[in-house]
Amino acid sequence: MNRPERFRPPSVDEILRSGEGALAIARHGRAETTRVVRQVLERMRQGEAPRLGAADAIARGALEALERRGQPSQRPVINLTGTVLHTNLGRALLAEEAIEAVVAAMRAPTNLEYEVEAGQRGERDAHVRGLIRELTGAEDAVLVNNNASAVLLVLNTLARDREAVVSRGELIEIGGAFRMPDIMGRAGAILREVGTTNRTHLKDYAEAIGPDTGLLLKVHTSNYVVQGFTAEVAPAELAKLARAHGLPFVDDLGSGTLIDLARWGLRHEKTVQDALQGGADLVTFSGDKLLGGPQAGIVAGRKELIARLARNPLKRALRLDKLRLAALEATLRLYRDPDRLAERLPTLRLFTRKAEELHALAERLRPRLAAALGPGWAVETIACASQIGSGALPLETLPSAGLAIRPSGKASGAAVEALAAAFRAVPLPVIGRIAQGALVFDLRCLSDESSFAAQLAALKPGGGDGLA
């Protein structure tokens, strides 16, 4: 009876002394390389991996495992989804000026909370408050982690254990199933909803005001639109009603923009300036959506109310770090020159790309993509409708162009899903969307076509993976 040959691999020391082993040690250190080599050998002994006899081959397998383990969890991707401000893909891209400011703040101590001229402790929000006052006309401002934090801070400061009056049609839900009523509850405010889903009148607010009222709240429904038989109260009327009762009126803009987007052919979205001029005592908005900066929540408005927010202990828990403050300051400075804003702010530049430019880009990439995929796939240039994203301008679409990829033969949903997975598996993952039996690449957010073309060499559309 023949017994199976016993597996006798090279020793760990021999593997480490091989050329590939030395390379692995140089890149990842002796301790980590030794640990992974032992793991590879154990998998071979257990029959979970092919049994290799050469020290270099085993070391190469260990090196590949180390390279995979060393890849950062959060890494760049190519966004071809057609959604510019994609929440899952990081929302706004920062301007070069903002990136430079962040790098500078990372590399050295800064005067984050220090007044250099006075030689005393300072306040971190002071680095951007002046810019916000200048650009919006607000008396003062306070900065926190995101817009949900801004709303939380406002409600906890001004309406804790008191009623916050809001229209039933504005009790929004944002991404991740976070709902305005839940945020209000966590803030300690008592929700007093008025009106109906589609119609709310001034008298509804007036009848709800009583001794327990803390504030009137208007929530901008930036991620949906109710159409048809509708009615809502103008902010100016709410502001007048609030003043008559000595109550603050808060306008939550959500996305928030500092400039009229109609200047670039987009639909007008209420600006922070519009909200303040409309009578809001406080306006809350995001930094990483239409503004085009880092994640941040901004509250702008009356000085005495801002001072109350700044004294709330929650403010410290929600405050911004020096990196995002540096990025936000640099982003806001760009708004001083609106004539060049579309050139310098990536978010606005992506919004304003012309469909003709994108169609020409698609035509250049189409033959290269078709050659990489082979005869099993048909690639065509198509018209697309890009979205703003992140709940901003929900009905606004941007004429765009892209590439649609379908199996040449009988349509197969599994094959298209597998192809999408293959594109996600390349070194710089390419993220598209599947629609009408095709993998669609909307090219609006592709700024570097060479980076996309480089991924085609790493694509594995054939073989036993079901893509051919």
Side-chain angles (χ1 to χ4, degrees):
M1 179 177 179
N2 294 327
R3 294 182 179 179
E5 186 178 346
R6 185 178 177 186
F7 178 51
R8 299 180 183 274
S11 69
V12 171
D13 185 60
E14 186 180 349
I15 295 170
L16 294 177
R17 284 189 284 107
S18 69
E20 294 286 339
L23 181 60
I25 291 171
R27 290 183 182 176
H28 301 280
R30 177 173 289 274
E32 183 69 358
T33 300
T34 301
R35 191 170 72 82
V36 173
V37 165
R38 286 179 173 145
Q39 288 178 348
V40 170
L41 290 172
E42 182 59 28
R43 291 187 67 223
M44 290 179 180
R45 291 190 183 96
Q46 298 298 326
E48 298 172 2
R51 292 182 172 183
L52 304 174
D56 248 339
I58 297 173
R60 190 177 304 114
L63 178 57
E64 291 172 357
L66 285 163
E67 296 291 340
R68 288 193 299 271
R69 287 161 56 88
Q71 193 173 67
S73 177
Q74 183 178 193
R75 54 199 175 107
V77 301
I78 297 177
N79 175 15
L80 302 185
T81 64
T83 300
V84 179
L85 296 173
H86 200 303
T87 298
N88 304 136
L89 302 182
R91 290 185 179 164
L93 302 180
L94 294 183
E96 287 302 317
E97 291 83 350
I99 294 170
E100 291 170 5
V102 170
V103 171
M106 291 171 66
R107 285 182 168 159
T110 70
N111 61 330
L112 176 64
E113 291 186 352
Y114 186 79
E115 295 182 7
V116 175
E117 293 182 2
Q120 63 186 24
R121 183 184 177 89
E123 212 286 307
R124 66 178 58 201
D125 286 0
H127 297 291
V128 296
R129 279 192 347 231
L131 277 165
I132 295 171
R133 290 196 298 264
E134 171 191 331
L135 294 169
T136 68
E139 293 179 6
D140 208 350
V142 70
L143 287 301
V144 289
N145 179 60
N146 58 17
N147 189 57
S149 298
V151 174
L152 179 74
L153 182 63
V154 168
L155 291 170
N156 182 261
T157 303
L158 304 180
R160 183 179 180 185
D161 298 324
R162 305 188 71 190
E163 293 182 349
V165 183
V166 61
S167 169
R168 182 173 283 111
E170 296 172 2
L171 295 176
I172 63 171
E173 177 179 308
I174 59 178
F178 289 96
R179 296 177 172 180
M180 178 58 72
D182 297 334
I183 293 173
M184 296 176 76
R186 291 291 182 178
I190 301 168
L191 169 62
R192 180 67 184 274
E193 52 186 292
V194 298
T196 63
T197 302
N198 61 318
R199 295 178 67 82
T200 303
H201 305 280
L202 185 63
K203 65 181 180 65
D204 296 320
Y205 290 93
E207 292 171 357
I209 294 175
D212 295 326
T213 305
L215 56 81
L216 302 188
L217 175 65
K218 185 165 186 62
V219 181
H220 183 46
T221 55
S222 58
N223 61 354
Y224 68 94
V225 173
V226 178
Q227 296 179 321
F229 186 59
T230 64
E232 65 174 309
V233 182
E237 293 183 78
L238 283 177
K240 184 178 180 181
L241 178 65
R243 282 195 299 272
H245 291 271
L247 296 170
F249 168 48
V250 179
D251 196 345
D252 170 27
L253 287 186
S255 296
T257 179
L258 299 181
I259 198 162
D260 187 359
L261 298 175
R263 175 175 182 161
W264 292 278
L266 300 173
R267 183 173 65 81
H268 174 75
E269 176 84 345
K270 185 167 73 170
T271 66
V272 177
Q273 298 91 319
D274 291 337
L276 290 168
Q277 291 167 9
D281 296 301
L282 293 176
V283 178
T284 67
F285 57 103
S286 296
D288 61 343
K289 295 182 181 178
L290 294 177
L291 184 64
Q295 178 180 303
I298 304 169
V299 188
R302 281 173 43 195
K303 191 176 186 67
E304 65 271 23
L305 295 179
I306 294 293
R308 289 176 62 184
L309 300 183
R311 290 194 299 268
N312 189 326
L314 267 180
K315 168 61 170 68
R316 183 176 180 85
L318 303 173
R319 70 185 183 180
L320 287 182
D321 69 304
K322 70 173 184 176
L323 303 183
R324 281 186 287 166
L325 280 169
L328 184 58
E329 179 185 3
T331 302
L332 291 172
R333 288 185 185 279
L334 298 179
Y335 280 83
R336 286 174 164 170
D337 184 6
D339 293 335
R340 292 193 296 161
L341 191 61
E343 302 170 24
R344 302 167 72 188
L345 193 67
T347 295
L348 191 54
R349 184 167 65 244
L350 294 175
F351 287 165
T352 55
R353 294 184 78 179
K354 301 298 183 184
E356 296 79 10
E357 171 199 349
L358 299 171
H359 184 273
L361 174 59
E363 286 293 285
R364 288 197 301 273
L365 291 174
R366 182 172 56 81
R368 301 174 71 174
L369 180 57
L373 291 172
W377 296 93
V379 182
E380 65 173 323
T381 298
I382 61 169
C384 299
S386 304
Q387 295 180 317
I388 301 294
S390 291
L393 296 168
L395 295 185
E396 185 78 0
T397 58
L398 309 172
S400 185
L403 297 164
I405 311 167
R406 292 183 174 85
S408 296
K410 185 178 179 182
S412 168
V416 175
E417 291 279 359
L419 181 64
F423 272 101
R424 295 196 303 271
V426 296
L428 183 58
V430 179
I431 315 298
R433 59 186 174 86
I434 294 176
Q436 297 179 336
L439 175 58
V440 176
F441 291 151
D442 185 318
L443 300 180
R444 175 165 295 278
C445 295
L446 182 61
S447 300
D448 182 6
E449 61 182 279
S450 63
S451 65
F452 173 78
Q455 305 315 305
L456 299 181
L459 188 66
K460 298 177 180 178
D465 53 13
L467 300 182

